[in-house]
Amino acid sequence: MIAIDGTSASGKSTNAKLVARALGYIYVDTGAMYRTLAWYCLKNRIDVSDAKAVTSACRKWKTSLVCVDGRVRLLVGGYYPEKEVRTPETAAAVPHVAAIPQVRKWMVKRQRECVQFGNLVMEGRDIGTNVFPETDFKFYLDAKLEERSRRRAADGVQENLAARDQRDSQRATAPLMIGLGAKVINNSSMTSEQTSGLILAEVRRRLAAVKR
Ligand code: DC
């Protein structure tokens, strides 16, 4: 179980996918799971700032976890809203749903269930601190705000990353934090090959240490 946490646009997805592919592990994007609930609320006209309403929706929605091509998907009514969860509307709504304790409890349970699919590379904000705090393989990615904003813009997404990071870091439940024993990688001036190479080298080093 490899946990990759960090700030928005710090390269978590790109590097988690590269690491998963190199090791033959299953990739899990937990942000996509929170985004799926935000999208579901918007679609069903549920006010994302109404914690009671969102919690109630989260209790009732019909979801399933599946693994397709080495990646875990959270389906809603059998549907995978791959494109819909990437819209600016969903991005703006997601920190609200992610701040609700009962929602986080539900998500953590689903995320732990992903071990049924095999060895995991899981990316998010609280994987090393809250979802799998006992893992020996924790990474925390970060980069300068200007660099992260540049990366998002290059992807065609305009977003106030500073505001989202602030919300994610200051919420009461499972805020974004560096996990105990996590290796911190600031990749402002690194390529994804270099970043994932560093993660893989560290994983192999720790694996060898565990076997000894
Ligand atoms: O990584 P992302 O941008 O897709 O994450 C979407 C949002 O979900 C982000 O605002 C933080 C939140 N999130 C979280 O609170 N905990 C996680 N494990 C993953 C994401």
Side-chain angles (χ1 to χ4, degrees):
M1 162 66 220
I2 300 173
I4 302 185
D5 291 304
T7 48
S8 301
S10 60
K12 296 187 298 296
S13 303
T14 307
N15 290 296
K17 283 177 198 158
L18 286 170
V19 169
R21 193 182 312 145
L23 297 172
Y25 282 21
I26 305 294
Y27 166 69
V28 190
D29 175 0
T30 62
M33 297 169 74
Y34 287 94
R35 285 170 179 266
T36 300
L37 180 60
W39 161 78
Y40 178 85
C41 289
L42 294 176
K43 191 168 80 76
N44 291 287
R45 300 186 186 286
I46 295 161
D47 178 2
V48 291
S49 57
D50 181 344
K52 263 196 180 153
V54 177
T55 301
S56 158
C58 187
R59 283 209 186 99
K60 284 187 222 140
W61 66 338
K62 298 275 174 279
T63 62
S64 50
L65 282 173
V66 294
C67 186
V68 179
D69 294 335
R71 294 181 186 181
V72 173
R73 295 176 173 185
L74 178 68
L75 307 184
V76 189
Y79 180 66
Y80 180 50
E82 189 173 15
K83 295 247 158 44
E84 294 90 329
V85 300
R86 301 291 155 195
T87 64
E89 291 76 22
T90 306
V94 66
H96 295 279
V97 311
I100 302 170
Q102 291 87 341
V103 165
R104 300 204 68 85
K105 220 168 153 187
W106 188 94
M107 292 286 172
V108 168
K109 216 168 159 194
R110 299 289 89 74
Q111 289 156 14
R112 289 182 180 150
E113 284 168 8
C114 290
V115 297
Q116 68 183 291
F117 300 117
N119 284 320
L120 308 174
V121 177
M122 185 174 280
E123 63 140 308
R125 302 292 189 295
D126 64 337
I127 312 307
T129 52
N130 201 34
V131 185
F132 289 104
E134 69 287 356
T135 183
D136 288 325
F137 306 96
K138 297 182 193 178
F139 296 88
Y140 184 95
L141 304 190
D142 202 0
K144 279 191 291 198
L145 180 62
E146 307 86 84
E147 171 60 16
R148 294 188 289 115
S149 302
R150 196 193 59 71
R151 290 176 189 167
R152 270 292 144 92
D155 286 342
V157 181
Q158 291 297 337
E159 208 197 328
N160 188 339
L161 292 179
R164 192 140 73 91
D165 287 342
Q166 196 179 18
R167 278 219 190 87
D168 289 335
S169 305
Q170 293 182 348
R171 65 171 176 240
T173 311
L176 173 64
M177 281 194 314
I178 300 174
L180 202 64
K183 183 174 176 64
V184 179
I185 301 175
N186 187 311
N187 58 29
S188 298
S189 51
M190 285 163 72
T191 64
S192 44
E193 284 70 28
Q194 289 171 323
T195 306
S196 61
L198 206 64
I199 296 173
L200 282 166
E202 184 65 21
V203 166
R204 290 183 175 125
R205 194 184 66 76
R206 292 188 186 194
L207 272 175
V210 170
K211 276 188 197 134
R212 240 181 270 133

